[in-house]
C-alpha cells in the first residue's frame, strides 16, 4: 500500500499565517509531505507583533496527538511553541508512548517582536523532558542563552552552548546564528557522537520578511528526515530552502511589519512511499 510521508507539527497557531502551525503546514507541503497538527495555543498576532495568547487545555493537546498518532502514524514530529509546563508534560508522555522515528524540537520562547511565548516555569521541564527525546534541537542564540546560561556573541560561544545542550541529554543541536553581528551568518550543528561541529555559513539576505523562519526551518528539517535524508543532509537542504524562501519573498509586501518568507517559491509534488 502506498502512503505519504507524514509530519505532525505540535505548535501554536498564528492567525496572520506567517509563523507557527501555519508556517509548518506550508513548509511541509512545499517539500512534498503530508502535514498533521496538534495546536498548543491560539495566538492573536500579525506582522507587527503578538497581542495575546490563549493556551489550549493540555487534555486537548493530548487528544489531538493521540488521534493523529493512532490513525496516521507520523514519520516525524516537529515541536514548536509549548507555552506551559502541563502542556510540555503531556507532549513528553505522548512521545514516550508512541516513539516517532524523528523529533525536531524548536524551543520557541520569544516571538520576533519580543513577546514571551514560553512561561518561565516551563523551561526546566522542557530541558528535562523534551531535549532528551529530540533527534535535534534548533534554538536561536537567545533561546540557547536561556537553556544554558552562556552569553553568546561569537562562534566559539555557540560551540560551547551547543555542547552544553548536548550535556542536557540532547542527541544533536543546530544552534542558529542568524542574530550574530555582521553580514556573514553561521549555524553550528553539533551531533553527540561527533567530536567536531559542522558549520553552515551564508551571506545574510537583506529582507524585512523573516516572520516564521525558525518555525519553517525546524519543520523543513523534520520533513526532510521523514523523506529519508540523514541529519546533516536534512539540515543543509532545510537551510537552503529557508534562504531561498527569504530571498524570493524579500520584495513582497504583506502587512506593516515583518512579513513571511515565500514558502512556495518552488512547490513540489507530494511524495509517495511505496
Amino acid at each position: 500500500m502506498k502512503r505519504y510521508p507524514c509530519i505532525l507539527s505540535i505548535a501554536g497557531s498564528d492567525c496572520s499565517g506567517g509563523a507557527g502551525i501555519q508556517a509548518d503546514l506550508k513548509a511541509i507541503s512545499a517539500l512534498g509531505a503530508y502535514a498533521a497538527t496538534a495546536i498548543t495555543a491560539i495566538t492573536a498576532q500579525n506582522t507587527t507583533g503578538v497581542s495575546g495568547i490563549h493556551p489550549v487545555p493540555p487534555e486537548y493537546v493530548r487528544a489531538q496527538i493521540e488521534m493523529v498518532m493512532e490513525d496516521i502514524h507520523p514519520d516525524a514530529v516537529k515541536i514548536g511553541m509549548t507555552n506551559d509546563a502541563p502542556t510540555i508534560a503531556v507532549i513528553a508522555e505522548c512521545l514516550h508512548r508512541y516513539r516517532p522515528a524523528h523529533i525536531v524540537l524548536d524551543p520557541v520562547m520569544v516571538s520576533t517582536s519580543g513577546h514571551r511565548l514560553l512561561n518561565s516555569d516551563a523551561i526546566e521541564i522542557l530541558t528535562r523532558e523534551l531535549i532528551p527525546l529530540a533527534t535535534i534541537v534548533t534554538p536561536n542564540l537567545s533561546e540557547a542563552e536561556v537553556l544554558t546560561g552562556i552569553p553568546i556573541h561569537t562562534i566559539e560561544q555557540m560551540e560551547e552552548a551547543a555542547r552544553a545542550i548536548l550535556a542536557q541529554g540532547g542527541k544533536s543541536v543546530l544552534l542558529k546564528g542568524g542574530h550574530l553581528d555582521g553580514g556573514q551568518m553561521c549555524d553550528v550543528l553539533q551531533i553527540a557522537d561527533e567530536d567536531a561541529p559542522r558549520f553552515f555559513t551564508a551571506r545574510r539576505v537583506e529582507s524585512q520578511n523573516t516572520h516564521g523562519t525558525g518555525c519553517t526551518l525546524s519543520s523543513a528539517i523534520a520533513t526532510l528526515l521523514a523523506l529519508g535524508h540523514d541529519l546533516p543532509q536534512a539540515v543543509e537542504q532545510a537551510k537552503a530552502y529557508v534562504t531561498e524562501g527569504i530571498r524570493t519573498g524579500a520584495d513582497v509586501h504583506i502587512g506593516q511589519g515583518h512579513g513571511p518568507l515565500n514558502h512556495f517559491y518552488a512547490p513540489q509534488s507530494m511524495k509517495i512511499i511505496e
Side-chain angles (χ1 to χ4, degrees):
M1 182 177 293
K2 299 178 181 179
R3 60 183 296 270
Y4 300 127
C6 176
I7 293 80
L8 168 62
S9 171
I10 305 172
S13 172
D14 170 10
C15 59
S16 72
I21 285 284
Q22 286 82 347
D24 296 341
L25 287 168
K26 294 172 186 177
I28 294 164
S29 300
L31 290 170
Y34 182 86
T37 65
I39 297 175
T40 59
I42 300 168
T43 68
Q45 64 176 293
N46 57 26
T47 64
T48 66
V50 179
S51 67
I53 301 172
H54 180 72
V56 172
E59 60 268 28
Y60 281 95
V61 176
R62 181 197 303 276
Q64 293 174 83
I65 296 171
E66 289 176 341
M67 293 299 283
V68 173
M69 287 290 187
E70 292 176 6
D71 180 40
I72 299 175
H73 309 292
D75 302 281
V77 171
K78 173 263 171 80
I79 306 169
M81 177 185 173
T82 50
N83 193 64
D84 54 39
T87 298
I88 293 172
V90 161
I91 294 169
E93 188 275 326
C94 288
L95 295 177
H96 275 293
R97 188 175 0 141
Y98 293 106
R99 295 289 178 178
H102 308 288
I103 300 171
V104 178
L105 172 61
D106 183 15
V108 178
M109 297 178 183
V110 180
S111 71
T112 302
S113 60
H115 193 101
R116 191 172 188 89
L117 301 176
L118 180 67
N119 295 342
S120 56
D121 64 345
I123 295 171
E124 180 183 353
I125 188 171
L126 182 145
T127 302
R128 185 178 70 248
E129 297 292 341
L130 292 185
I131 286 180
L133 289 172
T135 307
I136 185 169
V137 186
T138 63
N140 61 29
L141 298 187
S142 61
E143 291 159 352
E145 288 180 340
V146 172
L147 291 172
T148 65
I150 298 170
I152 306 171
H153 304 287
T154 66
I155 293 174
E156 290 74 22
Q157 289 170 331
M158 290 176 68
E159 294 180 58
E160 180 185 1
R163 290 192 295 269
I165 293 172
L166 291 184
Q168 295 170 349
K171 301 176 182 68
S172 66
V173 179
L174 178 68
L175 188 43
K176 300 175 291 190
H179 296 119
L180 285 176
D181 293 334
Q184 190 78 9
M185 297 191 304
C186 179
D187 292 359
V188 175
L189 173 63
Q190 181 67 66
I191 299 173
D193 58 1
E194 295 182 359
D195 293 331
R198 299 169 186 250
F199 300 99
F200 299 89
T201 59
R203 293 295 301 172
R204 188 183 305 276
V205 178
E206 295 301 328
S207 174
Q208 182 79 358
N209 297 331
T210 56
H211 186 48
T213 52
C215 306
T216 299
L217 178 66
S218 55
S219 56
I221 293 171
T223 303
L224 291 159
L225 289 171
L227 291 171
H229 298 277
D230 66 26
L231 184 59
Q233 289 175 334
V235 169
E236 182 177 25
Q237 293 189 30
K239 282 185 54 59
Y241 166 71
V242 170
T243 298
E244 193 64 11
I246 295 173
R247 188 189 68 79
T248 59
D251 60 353
V252 178
H253 180 74
I254 296 179
Q256 308 305 310
H258 292 281
L261 63 158
N262 178 9
H263 290 87
F264 292 105
Y265 68 88
Q268 301 184 34
S269 299
M270 187 81 81
K271 303 297 189 299
I272 297 176
I273 299 174
E274 297 289 345

